Amino acid sequence: MRVVIFSWEYPPRIVGKLASYVKELTWQLAKTGIETFLVTYHEYLTGEFENGGVKVYRVTNPVKTHVSVLTWVLTLNQEVERVAANIYYKSGKQINLIDVQDWHFIPAAVTLKKAFEIPFIYSVESLEDHRSHGANSPFNMAIKSIEWLGTYEAGAVVVKSDWMANEVIRAYKVPEAKVKIVNLETNHWLESILKVYRELKGGRCGYG
């Protein structure tokens, strides 16, 4: 199996807990024999690296001035798409799935799904409803529309708790069967992730 992970943070770029989780996830996947590629962002540490058996591709944003995180994300997605497409062709078009960590690179994942028929998983770290409670400005609604697009187009939506599963279903009307709970506090969390990967690879997950 070949898996591409998208994450807007990864050490040494640490914004929150996601960076450490993505590092652990990718390293564990590589240890199981899965060929693991990570596409992530860094302002200046760009290029291809290998870390813990994981092939890491760091990209920067070609547009340097932004009015908000939304314009930053949407312009950065072009670079994520470009690098992921290169990985796809270099692998002989043998990428099995993409795992998008949080909402930032959902547009790239949807484009690659449509262009190359690569299924993707949307792994939810947080929701705009929680980050900006009660905010319904055009800015917030634009981010929510990206999150909704991810839940709709993804083959599976992975969350880390029962509470988040209920919130995703409430906020975006996601079919309950599409939401997969992976509790990181259990010893078998990696096997739970692999089960979702295998189901999606085998075409047994998803609606979008």
Side-chain angles (χ1 to χ4, degrees), residues 57-68:
Y57 297 79
R58 293 193 179 99
V59 300
T60 193
N61 199 320
V63 180
K64 300 304 179 185
T65 303
H66 296 276
V67 297
S68 72

Side-chain angles (χ1 to χ4, degrees), residues 97-102 105-107 109-111 113-114 118-124 146-158 168 174-175 177-180 196 200 204-208:
L97 61 92
I98 295 170
D99 186 348
V100 188
Q101 299 290 324
D102 221 355
F105 298 147
I106 287 293
V110 173
T111 298
K113 173 189 172 182
K114 302 295 186 182
I118 305 173
F120 75 89
I121 291 165
Y122 176 16
S123 293
V124 176
I146 295 173
E147 291 181 340
W148 172 84
L149 181 66
T151 63
Y152 179 78
E153 291 286 354
V157 178
V158 173
V168 166
V174 184
K178 192 175 185 177
V179 180
K180 311 296 179 180
V196 178
L200 190 60
R204 294 189 298 276
C205 267
Y207 299 76

Side-chain angles (χ1 to χ4, degrees), residues 158 180-183 186 188-198:
V158 173
K180 311 296 179 180
I181 301 169
V182 177
N183 187 345
T186 65
H188 52 79
W189 68 269
L190 180 63
E191 183 53 41
S192 297
I193 287 284
L194 292 175
K195 181 181 178 182
V196 178
Y197 283 8
R198 294 186 192 108

Side-chain angles (χ1 to χ4, degrees), residues 26 34-35 46 50 66 68 73 83 94 117 127 153 166 174 185 190 193 200:
T26 54
I34 293 176
E35 192 168 356
T46 58
E50 186 155 334
H66 296 276
S68 72
V73 162
V83 170
Q94 297 299 314
E117 299 184 347
L127 295 178
E153 291 286 354
N166 291 330
V174 184
E185 296 181 359
L190 180 63
I193 287 284
L200 190 60

Side-chain angles (χ1 to χ4, degrees), residues 38 44-51 53-58:
L38 171 70
Y44 57 87
L45 292 177
T46 58
E48 181 179 348
F49 306 83
E50 186 155 334
N51 192 5
V54 180
K55 297 178 178 66
V56 180
Y57 297 79
R58 293 193 179 99

